[in-house]
Amino acid sequence: MASAGPGLVLTCLADNDLAQQPKRFAVAGGFVDVVESFDEGIEFSVYSNTLWDGALMASGLLRRQPWLVRGRRVLELGAGLGLPSLVAGALGARVVASEQAPLTLLKREVARNLPAVRRAGGCVDVRELDWEWPADRGGAEGG
C-alpha cells in the first residue's frame, strides 16, 4: 500500500504566535510535518501562504479513503501550499495542482516532496490558473 509519509514536509511562512510549535498529523500510514519559517525573501500571496482547514480536511479524507485517488488523475483548484495534492500524489495519483501567481511557495513544496511522491508511483505538476483569465486563454500558462 502506498504511504504519504513519513517523507512529506510542508513549509509555510510563519504568520502567527504559534509558529514555533511543532505540527504533525497522520496521513495514509505516515505523517506530514508542518514547519513554519520566517523567510521574508519569498514572493507569496496571503492565500497561498496559509495552511487552510479545508486542506487538512481533504487530506484527512484521502488518508481514510485512499482508493478515491490511487491510480487516478486529480486536479486541485486553488492548491495554496499543495497539501491535498501532495497527499494524493503520495497515494499514487497523477495530480495537477493549480493556483494563481505567484507560485513560488507551491513549487517549492512540490519540489521538496517530489521524491516521496514518486516513490509511491504518483506525480504532482504545478500549473498557474487565474480565475480572471478569459475563457479562450484556458490553462495555457504552465507552472
Side-chain angles (χ1 to χ4, degrees):
M1 179 174 168
S3 169
L8 295 181
V9 176
L10 193 71
T11 304
C12 58
L13 301 183
D15 61 358
N16 59 53
D17 295 337
L18 304 176
Q20 300 307 316
Q21 294 183 6
K23 297 167 186 71
R24 173 179 278 185
F25 62 95
V27 176
F31 56 84
V32 175
D33 286 318
V34 178
V35 179
E36 294 178 293
S37 69
F38 294 95
D39 189 346
E40 296 178 21
I42 292 181
E43 183 181 15
F44 65 93
S45 75
V46 174
Y47 303 110
S48 66
N49 172 52
T50 303
L51 182 56
W52 296 95
D53 290 343
L56 295 170
M57 291 171 43
S59 299
L61 173 72
L62 296 176
R63 172 183 168 234
R64 291 184 302 278
Q65 300 178 14
W67 60 87
L68 291 173
V69 294
R70 187 175 297 123
R72 296 180 184 236
R73 293 170 45 184
V74 174
L75 170 63
E76 183 178 8
L77 298 173
L81 292 167
L83 180 60
S85 291
L86 290 167
V87 170
L91 292 168
R94 295 178 54 211
V95 182
V96 172
S98 67
E99 182 58 83
Q100 293 181 332
L103 301 175
T104 311
L105 289 174
L106 179 57
K107 285 182 176 181
R108 180 184 74 181
E109 296 313 307
V110 168
R112 176 192 326 259
N113 290 287
L114 209 48
V117 169
R118 287 185 176 150
R119 278 193 303 273
C123 65
V124 178
D125 186 29
V126 174
R127 298 287 178 166
E128 181 179 350
L129 178 62
D130 190 320
W131 307 115
E132 296 182 21
W133 283 347
D136 62 347
R137 182 165 177 187
E141 294 291 319

